[in-house]
Amino acid sequence: MLTCIPLCLLQTGLTSASGNILCAVQHISTRALPLCLKVILVLPPITMFIIQDEEKLLTLEKVLQNYLPAAIKVYGTILNINRGKISDQEVVVDIWPNFSTVICRPCIKEEMYTSDECTFTVFSKDQSSLYNLLMDDNVVNWTNCFTFGGIDTSFLELVKDVAACKKFTVNFLTSTRAMILEDPGDLLDITSEKADVASRISHLDISHAQIVNRNWKFGKDDSGLKFVKNIIAKFPSYCILDETNTPVSWLLTYQYGAMGLLYTEPEYRRKGFAKLLVTKMVKALQNIGYPTYCFVEEDNTKSYQLFEQLGFKEAPDIRFSWVCCRPFEN
């Protein structure tokens, strides 16, 4: 009697570079196989396409608008790729043009896979399509640690299953809610009420990166400093300066278009600084055609209330999680 081989193990073999299992099963009569193997053998080959053509990327950006808010992080990433703001990411889909899954990943360079900075952004309409892409070593380099950033929380069990097959652990980092300003008219603008403070709003520059990184929950190290410098240089950011021209409150934009790293020094809180900065950023993002949204950690009640008061609404029925994948320790 033949023993059924787990799906993940068989698919790992079928998609491996050596193709040993695939070669072997091609010479076996399916009449002698149990049903589970017959199903595997008739599955279509796993495919993936790297979208590099400018016209296709623009088409993808447009189509993803139909899948907001679930696709908002991938949409924002591709928007910035199309605008020349991101050059170190590439886009993978399962099929084209009728895709089910889109993955934004670092461009294939060995040095990109030796750091915790390696982040994958995922949108999928179909779990089996996502499973197949994640199992494919040509899509995900399952040799070094990396992060799934802002993945739909409903996919976490799938990610854990794939990671187990690849002998990786999955460490949960945080879960967030997406807050979106759907209608610009919903924005509560307090600029006129705080004209004196609003006059001190300025752009962040690279010299401010250290203070931002020092107060960022996920920063405080050299990797965080590098990240902060990058997004200050490439994406919109604002701060409020004190009388010595030192930032005391600031707001940045991530490479995927979301507002983030909002912070106000303790002695300047409860003065409306954060609301002023969000209002300023919303107007700037709307002027350049960016979506206006942010991710708020589930336990961050104060930030949730702040954005809600300004007119943002929580995306219903979805959570976005950040998880880190690491190889098993021997």
Side-chain angles (χ1 to χ4, degrees):
M1 177 180 292
L2 289 173
T3 301
C4 293
I5 302 173
L7 176 61
C8 66
L9 296 180
L10 188 58
Q11 285 189 318
T12 301
L14 289 174
T15 59
S16 67
S18 64
N20 291 336
I21 293 179
L22 181 59
C23 293
V25 298
Q26 285 176 336
H27 300 287
I28 299 176
S29 169
T30 57
R31 287 179 295 179
L33 295 175
L35 178 60
C36 64
L37 289 186
K38 290 180 183 180
V39 172
I40 295 298
L41 292 178
V42 298
L43 284 175
I46 298 172
T47 58
M48 54 84 91
F49 297 88
I50 299 177
I51 306 298
Q52 296 175 314
D53 179 78
E54 290 183 7
E55 185 175 338
K56 287 185 173 65
L57 285 169
L58 287 169
T59 298
L60 183 57
E61 176 188 329
K62 183 177 181 180
V63 172
L64 285 171
Q65 293 179 5
N66 299 320
Y67 298 100
L68 301 178
I72 197 163
K73 192 168 182 284
V74 168
Y75 168 73
T77 301
I78 293 173
L79 184 151
N80 274 320
I81 290 174
N82 287 337
R83 298 188 179 197
K85 296 288 188 178
I86 298 177
S87 59
D88 59 356
Q89 291 270 311
E90 61 187 10
V91 180
V92 175
V93 297
D94 55 338
I95 56 175
W96 184 262
N98 300 315
F99 64 87
S100 293
T101 299
V102 185
I103 297 177
C104 298
R105 68 180 188 183
C107 295
I108 301 297
K109 296 177 182 176
E110 285 302 318
E111 61 268 22
M112 294 297 294
Y113 289 95
T114 59
S115 168
D116 290 335
E117 299 169 14
C118 180
T119 300
F120 287 74
T121 303
V122 174
F123 165 69
S124 184
K125 301 179 287 180
D126 178 73
Q127 291 215 13
S128 62
S129 164
L130 176 59
Y131 180 90
N132 286 339
L133 281 186
L134 296 185
M135 286 295 299
D136 189 341
D137 292 340
N138 293 313
V139 177
V140 180
N141 184 338
W142 290 95
T143 58
N144 290 287
C145 60
F146 63 92
T147 298
F148 285 110
I151 191 169
D152 185 334
T153 300
S154 66
F155 295 144
L156 288 187
E157 288 305 314
L158 182 151
V159 169
K160 290 177 183 177
D161 288 344
V162 175
C165 290
K166 301 293 186 178
K167 298 184 178 179
F168 266 60
T169 61
V170 176
N171 300 314
F172 177 83
L173 300 177
T174 189
S175 177
T176 67
R177 299 181 261 201
M179 301 293 289
I180 302 171
L181 186 68
E182 298 173 349
D183 183 347
D186 291 338
L187 179 67
L188 176 64
D189 189 345
I190 65 167
T191 306
S192 60
E193 303 172 20
K194 303 282 185 178
D196 56 330
V197 179
S199 66
R200 306 206 310 267
I201 294 178
S202 180
H203 292 283
L204 287 168
D205 61 46
I206 298 300
S207 69
H208 301 138
Q210 192 70 256
I211 189 173
V212 173
N213 181 53
R214 189 166 60 243
N215 291 282
W216 180 32
K217 176 180 178 179
F218 298 105
K220 301 179 173 60
D221 57 14
D222 290 342
S223 177
L225 181 61
K226 178 182 176 181
F227 177 83
V228 170
K229 285 182 176 180
N230 180 61
I231 62 175
I232 287 177
K234 293 183 178 180
F235 307 105
S237 65
Y238 289 102
C239 66
I240 294 174
L241 303 173
D242 67 7
E243 56 279 359
T244 66
N245 288 326
T246 300
V248 295
S249 184
W250 51 82
L251 176 63
L252 290 77
T253 311
Y254 288 106
Q255 67 271 30
Y256 43 86
M259 294 177 282
L261 283 77
L262 177 62
Y263 184 82
T264 301
E265 296 284 9
E267 61 268 35
Y268 290 92
R269 292 175 185 172
R270 305 187 67 82
K271 298 178 183 294
F273 285 20
K275 289 181 178 178
L276 277 174
L277 289 175
V278 172
T279 300
K280 181 74 172 179
M281 184 69 80
V282 165
K283 293 177 180 179
L285 294 176
Q286 289 173 342
N287 285 339
I288 59 177
Y290 278 50
T292 46
Y293 76 105
C294 65
F295 292 110
V296 177
E297 290 184 271
E298 288 197 273
D299 60 354
N300 194 339
T301 305
K302 289 184 179 179
S303 286
Y304 183 91
Q305 292 174 343
L306 167 71
F307 283 97
E308 192 174 44
Q309 290 167 6
L310 288 171
F312 286 69
K313 294 181 174 63
E314 178 185 344
D317 305 321
I318 190 168
R319 292 288 186 273
F320 298 86
S321 294
W322 272 251
V323 295
C324 180
C325 299
R326 297 180 181 276
F328 286 165
E329 294 183 3
N330 296 325

